[in-house]
Amino acid sequence: MKNRLAQLLLEKSYREGDFTLSSGRKSDYYFDCKPTALSPEGSYLIGRLFLDMLAGRDVQGVGGMTLGADPLVSSVTVVSWLEKRPLPGFIVRKQSKGYGTNQFLEGLGNFRPGDKVAMLEDVVTTGGTLLKACERVRDAGLEIVAVLAVLDRQEGGRENLAQAGYELSPIFTRADLVAAKAR
């Protein structure tokens, strides 16, 4: 499954050129996970691999920051149901609703205060977006016990997350994808 996902990611999500990342950094490659995560096979493989990574962990659900994590959360929730290990999901908004409950988290009604959750992210560069999402999740009363990503660009995100008390577990590092590309 992991080898097939690497092929799909390289085919659909990896581009070389001159890019500016959300962190403001310049890069000679860009990784947009959405085309893979929104394809039927890619969605299944990501959901399956993330669910496997969570096996044996006390986790009551998964979530992440919109928009990158939206298809990842959906993938895991559906695959978890099919595997009879149901995990509900939540999405962290970039801004609060501004009306009604004015909340940052959608899907919070599926959780109780203190529930243990895993954060999902498509690409980690510096970890800034992920750290902001983690703060909002903690503020909502949930406990983060795992942080998973499709790709760790290996540009400081793992270290920044570790300083905040989180261990990043990616499906792939940039080195993994470069090695897969060479094959």
Side-chain angles (χ1 to χ4, degrees), residues 61-117:
V62 296
M65 180 73 87
T66 199
L67 181 73
D70 293 3
L72 310 178
V73 171
S74 293
S75 295
V76 173
T77 60
V78 170
V79 171
S80 73
W81 176 258
L82 294 172
E83 295 296 318
K84 297 179 179 23
R85 294 171 26 204
L87 294 175
F90 61 88
I91 300 295
V92 181
R93 292 174 163 272
K94 292 185 180 177
Q95 297 177 19
S96 66
K97 281 174 101 169
Y99 59 90
T101 59
N102 204 35
Q103 64 190 14
F104 275 107
L105 269 65
E106 293 297 336
L108 194 54
N110 293 320
F111 297 89
R112 294 183 316 269
D115 276 354
K116 296 176 181 177
V117 297

Side-chain angles (χ1 to χ4, degrees), residues 35-65:
T36 300
L38 291 168
S39 72
E41 184 180 12
S43 178
Y44 173 76
L45 291 172
I46 289 169
R48 177 81 240 179
L49 288 167
F50 275 159
L51 190 61
D52 288 350
M53 292 167 75
L54 292 172
R57 295 189 191 204
D58 182 18
V59 174
Q60 282 86 48
V62 296
M65 180 73 87

Side-chain angles (χ1 to χ4, degrees), residues 106-175:
E106 293 297 336
L108 194 54
N110 293 320
F111 297 89
R112 294 183 316 269
D115 276 354
K116 296 176 181 177
V117 297
M119 294 296 290
L120 307 180
E121 180 68 286
D122 55 356
V123 181
V124 175
T125 303
T126 65
T129 300
L130 189 50
L131 286 168
K132 182 182 290 185
C134 288
E135 181 180 327
R136 290 179 179 161
V137 170
R138 279 194 329 267
D139 289 349
L142 301 177
E143 181 184 348
I144 300 164
V145 296
V147 177
L148 310 181
V150 176
L151 176 71
D152 175 4
R153 289 179 57 100
Q154 299 178 295
E155 295 182 22
R158 177 187 300 268
E159 294 77 10
N160 291 335
L161 288 161
Q163 285 179 351
Y166 303 110
E167 179 183 347
L168 178 64
S169 299
I171 296 174
F172 299 103
T173 62
R174 180 180 189 210

